PDB file of all heavy atoms in Angstrom:
ATOM      1  N   TYR B 176     -54.780  14.523 -14.226  1.00  0.00           N
ATOM      2  CA  TYR B 176     -53.849  13.445 -14.501  1.00  0.00           C
ATOM      3  C   TYR B 176     -53.628  13.231 -15.998  1.00  0.00           C
ATOM      4  O   TYR B 176     -52.504  13.079 -16.480  1.00  0.00           O
ATOM      5  CB  TYR B 176     -54.347  12.151 -13.849  1.00  0.00           C
ATOM      6  CG  TYR B 176     -53.741  11.885 -12.496  1.00  0.00           C
ATOM      7  CD1 TYR B 176     -53.997  12.756 -11.468  1.00  0.00           C
ATOM      8  CD2 TYR B 176     -52.868  10.805 -12.241  1.00  0.00           C
ATOM      9  CE1 TYR B 176     -53.436  12.536 -10.200  1.00  0.00           C
ATOM     10  CE2 TYR B 176     -52.300  10.611 -11.035  1.00  0.00           C
ATOM     11  CZ  TYR B 176     -52.607  11.496  -9.986  1.00  0.00           C
ATOM     12  OH  TYR B 176     -52.083  11.269  -8.741  1.00  0.00           O
ATOM     13  N   PHE B 179     -51.911  16.458 -17.347  1.00  0.00           N
ATOM     14  CA  PHE B 179     -50.524  16.612 -16.955  1.00  0.00           C
ATOM     15  C   PHE B 179     -49.607  15.639 -17.697  1.00  0.00           C
ATOM     16  O   PHE B 179     -48.463  15.948 -18.059  1.00  0.00           O
ATOM     17  CB  PHE B 179     -50.371  16.359 -15.412  1.00  0.00           C
ATOM     18  CG  PHE B 179     -48.982  16.564 -14.939  1.00  0.00           C
ATOM     19  CD1 PHE B 179     -48.572  17.849 -14.660  1.00  0.00           C
ATOM     20  CD2 PHE B 179     -48.120  15.548 -14.710  1.00  0.00           C
ATOM     21  CE1 PHE B 179     -47.302  18.117 -14.183  1.00  0.00           C
ATOM     22  CE2 PHE B 179     -46.807  15.755 -14.242  1.00  0.00           C
ATOM     23  CZ  PHE B 179     -46.384  17.047 -13.970  1.00  0.00           C
ATOM     24  N   TRP B 214     -46.020  23.675 -15.485  1.00  0.00           N
ATOM     25  CA  TRP B 214     -45.836  22.276 -15.142  1.00  0.00           C
ATOM     26  C   TRP B 214     -45.731  22.095 -13.679  1.00  0.00           C
ATOM     27  O   TRP B 214     -46.331  21.274 -13.054  1.00  0.00           O
ATOM     28  CB  TRP B 214     -44.570  21.746 -15.924  1.00  0.00           C
ATOM     29  CG  TRP B 214     -44.315  20.391 -15.856  1.00  0.00           C
ATOM     30  CD1 TRP B 214     -44.947  19.401 -16.612  1.00  0.00           C
ATOM     31  CD2 TRP B 214     -43.324  19.683 -15.092  1.00  0.00           C
ATOM     32  NE1 TRP B 214     -44.437  18.157 -16.322  1.00  0.00           N
ATOM     33  CE2 TRP B 214     -43.436  18.297 -15.367  1.00  0.00           C
ATOM     34  CE3 TRP B 214     -42.414  20.075 -14.114  1.00  0.00           C
ATOM     35  CZ2 TRP B 214     -42.621  17.339 -14.792  1.00  0.00           C
ATOM     36  CZ3 TRP B 214     -41.615  19.138 -13.553  1.00  0.00           C
ATOM     37  CH2 TRP B 214     -41.697  17.782 -13.868  1.00  0.00           C
ATOM     38  N   LEU B 218     -47.849  19.994 -10.916  1.00  0.00           N
ATOM     39  CA  LEU B 218     -47.126  18.980 -10.183  1.00  0.00           C
ATOM     40  C   LEU B 218     -47.517  19.122  -8.654  1.00  0.00           C
ATOM     41  O   LEU B 218     -47.651  18.175  -7.946  1.00  0.00           O
ATOM     42  CB  LEU B 218     -45.609  19.133 -10.399  1.00  0.00           C
ATOM     43  CG  LEU B 218     -44.738  17.956 -10.063  1.00  0.00           C
ATOM     44  CD1 LEU B 218     -45.205  16.762 -10.799  1.00  0.00           C
ATOM     45  CD2 LEU B 218     -43.292  18.237 -10.328  1.00  0.00           C
ATOM     46  N   ILE B 221     -50.938  17.695  -8.043  1.00  0.00           N
ATOM     47  CA  ILE B 221     -50.953  16.217  -8.082  1.00  0.00           C
ATOM     48  C   ILE B 221     -50.427  15.690  -6.715  1.00  0.00           C
ATOM     49  O   ILE B 221     -51.059  14.782  -6.169  1.00  0.00           O
ATOM     50  CB  ILE B 221     -50.110  15.651  -9.272  1.00  0.00           C
ATOM     51  CG1 ILE B 221     -50.922  15.896 -10.543  1.00  0.00           C
ATOM     52  CG2 ILE B 221     -49.797  14.212  -9.051  1.00  0.00           C
ATOM     53  CD1 ILE B 221     -50.145  15.495 -11.760  1.00  0.00           C
ATOM     54  N   HIS B 222     -49.352  16.248  -6.224  1.00  0.00           N
ATOM     55  CA  HIS B 222     -48.760  15.722  -5.002  1.00  0.00           C
ATOM     56  C   HIS B 222     -49.629  16.118  -3.824  1.00  0.00           C
ATOM     57  O   HIS B 222     -49.813  15.323  -2.895  1.00  0.00           O
ATOM     58  CB  HIS B 222     -47.314  16.183  -4.823  1.00  0.00           C
ATOM     59  CG  HIS B 222     -46.385  15.475  -5.784  1.00  0.00           C
ATOM     60  ND1 HIS B 222     -46.168  15.893  -7.006  1.00  0.00           N
ATOM     61  CD2 HIS B 222     -45.762  14.325  -5.607  1.00  0.00           C
ATOM     62  CE1 HIS B 222     -45.337  15.034  -7.624  1.00  0.00           C
ATOM     63  NE2 HIS B 222     -45.055  14.027  -6.806  1.00  0.00           N
ATOM     64  N   ILE B 225     -52.392  13.587  -3.174  1.00  0.00           N
ATOM     65  CA  ILE B 225     -52.034  12.283  -2.694  1.00  0.00           C
ATOM     66  C   ILE B 225     -52.358  12.220  -1.194  1.00  0.00           C
ATOM     67  O   ILE B 225     -51.903  13.015  -0.397  1.00  0.00           O
ATOM     68  CB  ILE B 225     -50.589  11.930  -2.918  1.00  0.00           C
ATOM     69  CG1 ILE B 225     -50.322  11.927  -4.487  1.00  0.00           C
ATOM     70  CG2 ILE B 225     -50.289  10.588  -2.348  1.00  0.00           C
ATOM     71  CD1 ILE B 225     -48.890  11.865  -4.806  1.00  0.00           C
ATOM     72  N   ARG B 226     -53.137  11.263  -0.782  1.00  0.00           N
ATOM     73  CA  ARG B 226     -53.557  11.088   0.614  1.00  0.00           C
ATOM     74  C   ARG B 226     -54.099  12.386   1.189  1.00  0.00           C
ATOM     75  O   ARG B 226     -53.851  12.712   2.351  1.00  0.00           O
ATOM     76  CB  ARG B 226     -52.430  10.585   1.438  1.00  0.00           C
ATOM     77  CG  ARG B 226     -52.242   9.029   1.406  1.00  0.00           C
ATOM     78  CD  ARG B 226     -50.993   8.570   2.015  1.00  0.00           C
ATOM     79  NE  ARG B 226     -50.005   8.324   1.009  1.00  0.00           N
ATOM     80  CZ  ARG B 226     -48.728   8.691   1.052  1.00  0.00           C
ATOM     81  NH1 ARG B 226     -48.252   9.337   2.077  1.00  0.00           N
ATOM     82  NH2 ARG B 226     -47.911   8.378   0.052  1.00  0.00           N
TER      83      ARG B 226
ATOM     84  N   LYS V  77     -38.633  12.821   2.668  1.00  0.00           N
ATOM     85  CA  LYS V  77     -39.270  11.832   1.832  1.00  0.00           C
ATOM     86  C   LYS V  77     -40.816  11.976   1.743  1.00  0.00           C
ATOM     87  O   LYS V  77     -41.481  11.110   1.210  1.00  0.00           O
ATOM     88  CB  LYS V  77     -38.940  10.390   2.334  1.00  0.00           C
ATOM     89  CG  LYS V  77     -37.474  10.076   2.140  1.00  0.00           C
ATOM     90  CD  LYS V  77     -37.124   8.708   2.720  1.00  0.00           C
ATOM     91  CE  LYS V  77     -36.935   8.725   4.216  1.00  0.00           C
ATOM     92  NZ  LYS V  77     -36.305   7.508   4.756  1.00  0.00           N
ATOM     93  N   SER V  78     -41.328  13.087   2.389  1.00  0.00           N
ATOM     94  CA  SER V  78     -42.757  13.193   2.479  1.00  0.00           C
ATOM     95  C   SER V  78     -43.347  14.094   1.400  1.00  0.00           C
ATOM     96  O   SER V  78     -42.594  14.843   0.748  1.00  0.00           O
ATOM     97  CB  SER V  78     -43.143  13.713   3.827  1.00  0.00           C
ATOM     98  OG  SER V  78     -42.768  15.064   3.881  1.00  0.00           O
ATOM     99  N   ILE V  79     -44.644  14.060   1.236  1.00  0.00           N
ATOM    100  CA  ILE V  79     -45.323  14.922   0.353  1.00  0.00           C
ATOM    101  C   ILE V  79     -45.138  16.443   0.665  1.00  0.00           C
ATOM    102  O   ILE V  79     -44.813  17.208  -0.213  1.00  0.00           O
ATOM    103  CB  ILE V  79     -46.864  14.619   0.323  1.00  0.00           C
ATOM    104  CG1 ILE V  79     -47.076  13.160  -0.163  1.00  0.00           C
ATOM    105  CG2 ILE V  79     -47.574  15.627  -0.514  1.00  0.00           C
ATOM    106  CD1 ILE V  79     -46.949  13.011  -1.633  1.00  0.00           C
ATOM    107  N   ALA V  82     -41.929  17.440  -0.739  1.00  0.00           N
ATOM    108  CA  ALA V  82     -42.017  17.461  -2.172  1.00  0.00           C
ATOM    109  C   ALA V  82     -42.653  18.784  -2.650  1.00  0.00           C
ATOM    110  O   ALA V  82     -42.109  19.515  -3.438  1.00  0.00           O
ATOM    111  CB  ALA V  82     -42.824  16.305  -2.738  1.00  0.00           C
ATOM    112  N   SER V  85     -40.406  21.853  -1.853  1.00  0.00           N
ATOM    113  CA  SER V  85     -39.197  22.011  -2.703  1.00  0.00           C
ATOM    114  C   SER V  85     -39.624  22.370  -4.150  1.00  0.00           C
ATOM    115  O   SER V  85     -38.926  23.223  -4.779  1.00  0.00           O
ATOM    116  CB  SER V  85     -38.411  20.706  -2.720  1.00  0.00           C
ATOM    117  OG  SER V  85     -39.162  19.601  -3.138  1.00  0.00           O
ATOM    118  N   ILE V  86     -40.709  21.799  -4.651  1.00  0.00           N
ATOM    119  CA  ILE V  86     -41.207  22.211  -6.020  1.00  0.00           C
ATOM    120  C   ILE V  86     -41.532  23.703  -5.924  1.00  0.00           C
ATOM    121  O   ILE V  86     -41.210  24.452  -6.852  1.00  0.00           O
ATOM    122  CB  ILE V  86     -42.380  21.390  -6.473  1.00  0.00           C
ATOM    123  CG1 ILE V  86     -41.972  19.896  -6.548  1.00  0.00           C
ATOM    124  CG2 ILE V  86     -42.833  21.847  -7.774  1.00  0.00           C
ATOM    125  CD1 ILE V  86     -43.122  18.966  -6.729  1.00  0.00           C
ATOM    126  N   LEU V 131     -34.435  20.238  -4.116  1.00  0.00           N
ATOM    127  CA  LEU V 131     -35.310  19.374  -4.870  1.00  0.00           C
ATOM    128  C   LEU V 131     -34.584  18.044  -5.155  1.00  0.00           C
ATOM    129  O   LEU V 131     -35.136  16.964  -5.012  1.00  0.00           O
ATOM    130  CB  LEU V 131     -35.717  20.062  -6.204  1.00  0.00           C
ATOM    131  CG  LEU V 131     -36.763  19.336  -6.990  1.00  0.00           C
ATOM    132  CD1 LEU V 131     -38.080  19.342  -6.230  1.00  0.00           C
ATOM    133  CD2 LEU V 131     -36.981  20.014  -8.325  1.00  0.00           C
ATOM    134  N   ALA V 134     -34.571  15.976  -1.852  1.00  0.00           N
ATOM    135  CA  ALA V 134     -35.919  15.464  -1.483  1.00  0.00           C
ATOM    136  C   ALA V 134     -36.299  14.349  -2.542  1.00  0.00           C
ATOM    137  O   ALA V 134     -36.705  13.224  -2.133  1.00  0.00           O
ATOM    138  CB  ALA V 134     -36.955  16.592  -1.519  1.00  0.00           C
ATOM    139  N   LEU V 135     -36.171  14.708  -3.742  1.00  0.00           N
ATOM    140  CA  LEU V 135     -36.538  13.708  -4.831  1.00  0.00           C
ATOM    141  C   LEU V 135     -35.701  12.491  -4.769  1.00  0.00           C
ATOM    142  O   LEU V 135     -36.170  11.324  -4.919  1.00  0.00           O
ATOM    143  CB  LEU V 135     -36.445  14.383  -6.183  1.00  0.00           C
ATOM    144  CG  LEU V 135     -36.952  13.613  -7.412  1.00  0.00           C
ATOM    145  CD1 LEU V 135     -38.364  13.194  -7.361  1.00  0.00           C
ATOM    146  CD2 LEU V 135     -36.718  14.486  -8.695  1.00  0.00           C
ATOM    147  N   THR V 138     -36.621  10.202  -1.750  1.00  0.00           N
ATOM    148  CA  THR V 138     -37.881   9.465  -2.037  1.00  0.00           C
ATOM    149  C   THR V 138     -37.657   8.369  -3.039  1.00  0.00           C
ATOM    150  O   THR V 138     -38.190   7.263  -2.834  1.00  0.00           O
ATOM    151  CB  THR V 138     -38.948  10.533  -2.622  1.00  0.00           C
ATOM    152  OG1 THR V 138     -38.913  11.637  -1.847  1.00  0.00           O
ATOM    153  CG2 THR V 138     -40.273   9.869  -2.697  1.00  0.00           C
ATOM    154  N   LYS V 141     -35.768   5.465  -1.452  1.00  0.00           N
ATOM    155  CA  LYS V 141     -36.647   4.682  -0.549  1.00  0.00           C
ATOM    156  C   LYS V 141     -37.524   3.719  -1.349  1.00  0.00           C
ATOM    157  O   LYS V 141     -37.621   2.551  -0.952  1.00  0.00           O
ATOM    158  CB  LYS V 141     -37.521   5.671   0.190  1.00  0.00           C
ATOM    159  CG  LYS V 141     -38.517   4.997   1.148  1.00  0.00           C
ATOM    160  CD  LYS V 141     -39.439   5.955   1.848  1.00  0.00           C
ATOM    161  CE  LYS V 141     -40.871   5.718   1.342  1.00  0.00           C
ATOM    162  NZ  LYS V 141     -41.783   6.744   1.833  1.00  0.00           N
ATOM    163  N   ASN V 142     -38.104   4.185  -2.433  1.00  0.00           N
ATOM    164  CA  ASN V 142     -38.974   3.366  -3.218  1.00  0.00           C
ATOM    165  C   ASN V 142     -38.216   2.334  -4.040  1.00  0.00           C
ATOM    166  O   ASN V 142     -38.747   1.264  -4.371  1.00  0.00           O
ATOM    167  CB  ASN V 142     -39.883   4.212  -4.128  1.00  0.00           C
ATOM    168  CG  ASN V 142     -41.037   4.787  -3.318  1.00  0.00           C
ATOM    169  OD1 ASN V 142     -42.000   4.112  -3.099  1.00  0.00           O
ATOM    170  ND2 ASN V 142     -40.859   6.051  -2.895  1.00  0.00           N
ATOM    171  N   PHE V 153     -44.068   5.045 -10.644  1.00  0.00           N
ATOM    172  CA  PHE V 153     -43.507   6.064  -9.745  1.00  0.00           C
ATOM    173  C   PHE V 153     -42.039   6.146  -9.946  1.00  0.00           C
ATOM    174  O   PHE V 153     -41.459   7.198 -10.072  1.00  0.00           O
ATOM    175  CB  PHE V 153     -43.860   5.661  -8.303  1.00  0.00           C
ATOM    176  CG  PHE V 153     -43.228   6.511  -7.311  1.00  0.00           C
ATOM    177  CD1 PHE V 153     -43.893   7.651  -6.813  1.00  0.00           C
ATOM    178  CD2 PHE V 153     -41.959   6.237  -6.815  1.00  0.00           C
ATOM    179  CE1 PHE V 153     -43.263   8.438  -5.874  1.00  0.00           C
ATOM    180  CE2 PHE V 153     -41.341   6.986  -5.827  1.00  0.00           C
ATOM    181  CZ  PHE V 153     -42.008   8.137  -5.381  1.00  0.00           C
ATOM    182  N   SER V 156     -40.786   7.706 -13.427  1.00  0.00           N
ATOM    183  CA  SER V 156     -40.896   9.100 -13.535  1.00  0.00           C
ATOM    184  C   SER V 156     -40.057   9.891 -12.566  1.00  0.00           C
ATOM    185  O   SER V 156     -39.409  10.912 -12.926  1.00  0.00           O
ATOM    186  CB  SER V 156     -42.385   9.597 -13.535  1.00  0.00           C
ATOM    187  OG  SER V 156     -42.966   9.206 -12.344  1.00  0.00           O
ATOM    188  N   HIS V 157     -40.013   9.426 -11.328  1.00  0.00           N
ATOM    189  CA  HIS V 157     -39.182  10.209 -10.377  1.00  0.00           C
ATOM    190  C   HIS V 157     -37.673  10.040 -10.597  1.00  0.00           C
ATOM    191  O   HIS V 157     -36.966  11.020 -10.542  1.00  0.00           O
ATOM    192  CB  HIS V 157     -39.568   9.767  -8.888  1.00  0.00           C
ATOM    193  CG  HIS V 157     -40.914  10.224  -8.516  1.00  0.00           C
ATOM    194  ND1 HIS V 157     -42.061   9.620  -8.932  1.00  0.00           N
ATOM    195  CD2 HIS V 157     -41.348  11.292  -7.794  1.00  0.00           C
ATOM    196  CE1 HIS V 157     -43.117  10.250  -8.505  1.00  0.00           C
ATOM    197  NE2 HIS V 157     -42.697  11.270  -7.762  1.00  0.00           N
ATOM    198  N   LEU V 160     -36.841  12.111 -13.694  1.00  0.00           N
ATOM    199  CA  LEU V 160     -36.766  13.526 -13.432  1.00  0.00           C
ATOM    200  C   LEU V 160     -35.471  13.866 -12.628  1.00  0.00           C
ATOM    201  O   LEU V 160     -34.760  14.855 -12.910  1.00  0.00           O
ATOM    202  CB  LEU V 160     -37.947  14.064 -12.598  1.00  0.00           C
ATOM    203  CG  LEU V 160     -37.911  15.496 -12.210  1.00  0.00           C
ATOM    204  CD1 LEU V 160     -37.934  16.373 -13.428  1.00  0.00           C
ATOM    205  CD2 LEU V 160     -39.092  15.891 -11.307  1.00  0.00           C
ATOM    206  N   MET V 392     -38.796   9.810 -18.277  1.00  0.00           N
ATOM    207  CA  MET V 392     -39.946  10.624 -17.949  1.00  0.00           C
ATOM    208  C   MET V 392     -41.063  10.442 -18.950  1.00  0.00           C
ATOM    209  O   MET V 392     -42.220  10.487 -18.614  1.00  0.00           O
ATOM    210  CB  MET V 392     -39.535  12.147 -17.877  1.00  0.00           C
ATOM    211  CG  MET V 392     -38.803  12.523 -16.628  1.00  0.00           C
ATOM    212  SD  MET V 392     -38.330  14.233 -16.691  1.00  0.00           S
ATOM    213  CE  MET V 392     -39.915  15.021 -16.330  1.00  0.00           C
ATOM    214  N   MET V 399     -48.677   7.325 -16.898  1.00  0.00           N
ATOM    215  CA  MET V 399     -49.665   8.168 -16.207  1.00  0.00           C
ATOM    216  C   MET V 399     -50.925   8.280 -17.057  1.00  0.00           C
ATOM    217  O   MET V 399     -52.025   8.246 -16.570  1.00  0.00           O
ATOM    218  CB  MET V 399     -49.085   9.501 -15.968  1.00  0.00           C
ATOM    219  CG  MET V 399     -49.838  10.315 -14.988  1.00  0.00           C
ATOM    220  SD  MET V 399     -48.824  11.773 -14.587  1.00  0.00           S
ATOM    221  CE  MET V 399     -49.839  12.435 -13.303  1.00  0.00           C
ATOM    222  N   ASN V 406     -54.015   4.490 -10.222  1.00  0.00           N
ATOM    223  CA  ASN V 406     -52.974   4.184  -9.341  1.00  0.00           C
ATOM    224  C   ASN V 406     -52.962   4.985  -8.053  1.00  0.00           C
ATOM    225  O   ASN V 406     -52.716   4.504  -6.989  1.00  0.00           O
ATOM    226  CB  ASN V 406     -51.634   4.402 -10.069  1.00  0.00           C
ATOM    227  CG  ASN V 406     -50.547   3.528  -9.535  1.00  0.00           C
ATOM    228  OD1 ASN V 406     -50.818   2.408  -9.263  1.00  0.00           O
ATOM    229  ND2 ASN V 406     -49.404   4.097  -9.333  1.00  0.00           N
ATOM    230  N   LYS V 407     -53.324   6.282  -8.241  1.00  0.00           N
ATOM    231  CA  LYS V 407     -53.361   7.153  -7.088  1.00  0.00           C
ATOM    232  C   LYS V 407     -54.341   6.644  -6.036  1.00  0.00           C
ATOM    233  O   LYS V 407     -54.038   6.551  -4.846  1.00  0.00           O
ATOM    234  CB  LYS V 407     -53.796   8.536  -7.526  1.00  0.00           C
ATOM    235  CG  LYS V 407     -54.181   9.431  -6.416  1.00  0.00           C
ATOM    236  CD  LYS V 407     -54.570  10.774  -6.964  1.00  0.00           C
ATOM    237  CE  LYS V 407     -54.950  11.810  -5.920  1.00  0.00           C
ATOM    238  NZ  LYS V 407     -56.262  11.672  -5.404  1.00  0.00           N
ATOM    239  N   VAL V 410     -52.836   3.523  -4.434  1.00  0.00           N
ATOM    240  CA  VAL V 410     -51.888   3.856  -3.397  1.00  0.00           C
ATOM    241  C   VAL V 410     -52.536   4.491  -2.175  1.00  0.00           C
ATOM    242  O   VAL V 410     -52.241   4.121  -1.065  1.00  0.00           O
ATOM    243  CB  VAL V 410     -50.895   4.875  -4.020  1.00  0.00           C
ATOM    244  CG1 VAL V 410     -49.954   5.414  -2.961  1.00  0.00           C
ATOM    245  CG2 VAL V 410     -50.046   4.201  -5.093  1.00  0.00           C
ATOM    246  N   LYS V 414     -52.190   2.915   1.466  1.00  0.00           N
ATOM    247  CA  LYS V 414     -51.482   3.689   2.497  1.00  0.00           C
ATOM    248  C   LYS V 414     -52.403   3.932   3.705  1.00  0.00           C
ATOM    249  O   LYS V 414     -51.919   3.801   4.841  1.00  0.00           O
ATOM    250  CB  LYS V 414     -51.058   5.026   1.898  1.00  0.00           C
ATOM    251  CG  LYS V 414     -49.914   4.914   0.927  1.00  0.00           C
ATOM    252  CD  LYS V 414     -48.589   4.714   1.626  1.00  0.00           C
ATOM    253  CE  LYS V 414     -47.599   4.093   0.650  1.00  0.00           C
ATOM    254  NZ  LYS V 414     -46.325   4.665   0.614  1.00  0.00           N
TER     255      LYS V 414
HETATM  256  C1  HEM G 501     -41.928  13.960 -13.282  1.00  0.00           C
HETATM  257  C2  HEM G 501     -42.508  14.550 -12.306  1.00  0.00           C
HETATM  258  C3  HEM G 501     -43.337  13.867 -11.275  1.00  0.00           C
HETATM  259  C4  HEM G 501     -44.462  13.100 -11.494  1.00  0.00           C
HETATM  260  C5  HEM G 501     -45.152  12.732 -12.809  1.00  0.00           C
HETATM  261  C6  HEM G 501     -44.890  12.657 -10.182  1.00  0.00           C
HETATM  262  C7  HEM G 501     -46.017  11.901  -9.949  1.00  0.00           C
HETATM  263  C8  HEM G 501     -46.302  11.301  -8.724  1.00  0.00           C
HETATM  264  C9  HEM G 501     -47.419  10.415  -8.527  1.00  0.00           C
HETATM  265  C10 HEM G 501     -48.461  10.071  -9.578  1.00  0.00           C
HETATM  266  C11 HEM G 501     -47.362  10.049  -7.226  1.00  0.00           C
HETATM  267  C12 HEM G 501     -48.338   9.110  -6.571  1.00  0.00           C
HETATM  268  C13 HEM G 501     -47.738   7.807  -6.318  1.00  0.00           C
HETATM  269  C14 HEM G 501     -48.037   6.847  -7.453  1.00  0.00           C
HETATM  270  O1  HEM G 501     -49.030   7.077  -8.148  1.00  0.00           O
HETATM  271  O2  HEM G 501     -47.242   5.913  -7.577  1.00  0.00           O
HETATM  272  C15 HEM G 501     -46.197  10.667  -6.634  1.00  0.00           C
HETATM  273  C16 HEM G 501     -45.822  10.487  -5.359  1.00  0.00           C
HETATM  274  C17 HEM G 501     -44.777  11.177  -4.744  1.00  0.00           C
HETATM  275  N1  HEM G 501     -43.957  12.094  -5.359  1.00  0.00           N
HETATM  276 FE1  HEM G 501     -43.988  12.628  -7.264  1.00  0.00          FE
HETATM  277  N2  HEM G 501     -44.058  13.186  -9.218  1.00  0.00           N
HETATM  278  C18 HEM G 501     -43.133  13.935  -9.856  1.00  0.00           C
HETATM  279  C19 HEM G 501     -42.100  14.639  -9.285  1.00  0.00           C
HETATM  280  C20 HEM G 501     -41.811  14.639  -7.938  1.00  0.00           C
HETATM  281  C21 HEM G 501     -40.910  15.543  -7.309  1.00  0.00           C
HETATM  282  C22 HEM G 501     -40.068  16.622  -7.986  1.00  0.00           C
HETATM  283  C23 HEM G 501     -40.946  15.247  -5.992  1.00  0.00           C
HETATM  284  C24 HEM G 501     -40.108  15.959  -4.950  1.00  0.00           C
HETATM  285  C25 HEM G 501     -39.309  16.026  -4.282  1.00  0.00           C
HETATM  286  C26 HEM G 501     -41.850  14.158  -5.724  1.00  0.00           C
HETATM  287  C27 HEM G 501     -42.115  13.506  -4.590  1.00  0.00           C
HETATM  288  C28 HEM G 501     -43.086  12.552  -4.418  1.00  0.00           C
HETATM  289  C29 HEM G 501     -43.382  11.971  -3.122  1.00  0.00           C
HETATM  290  C30 HEM G 501     -42.649  12.187  -1.826  1.00  0.00           C
HETATM  291  C31 HEM G 501     -44.439  11.065  -3.346  1.00  0.00           C
HETATM  292  C32 HEM G 501     -45.035  10.145  -2.327  1.00  0.00           C
HETATM  293  C33 HEM G 501     -44.382   8.807  -2.487  1.00  0.00           C
HETATM  294  C34 HEM G 501     -44.757   7.863  -1.403  1.00  0.00           C
HETATM  295  O3  HEM G 501     -45.877   7.899  -0.901  1.00  0.00           O
HETATM  296  O4  HEM G 501     -43.885   7.011  -1.139  1.00  0.00           O
HETATM  297  N3  HEM G 501     -42.408  13.768  -7.031  1.00  0.00           N
HETATM  298  N4  HEM G 501     -45.560  11.437  -7.592  1.00  0.00           N
END
Side-chain angles (χ1 to χ4, degrees):
Chain B
Y176 265 65
F179 186 79
W214 189 77
L218 197 58
I221 286 176
H222 287 88
I225 297 167
R226 275 168 260 136
Chain V
K77 291 180 279 196
S78 73
I79 297 283
S85 58
I86 300 168
L131 190 65
L135 182 59
T138 312
K141 178 185 115 188
N142 281 279
F153 173 92
S156 57
H157 289 77
L160 178 62
M392 282 178 77
M399 191 171 191
N406 205 42
K407 166 180 181 278
V410 170
K414 287 285 159 133

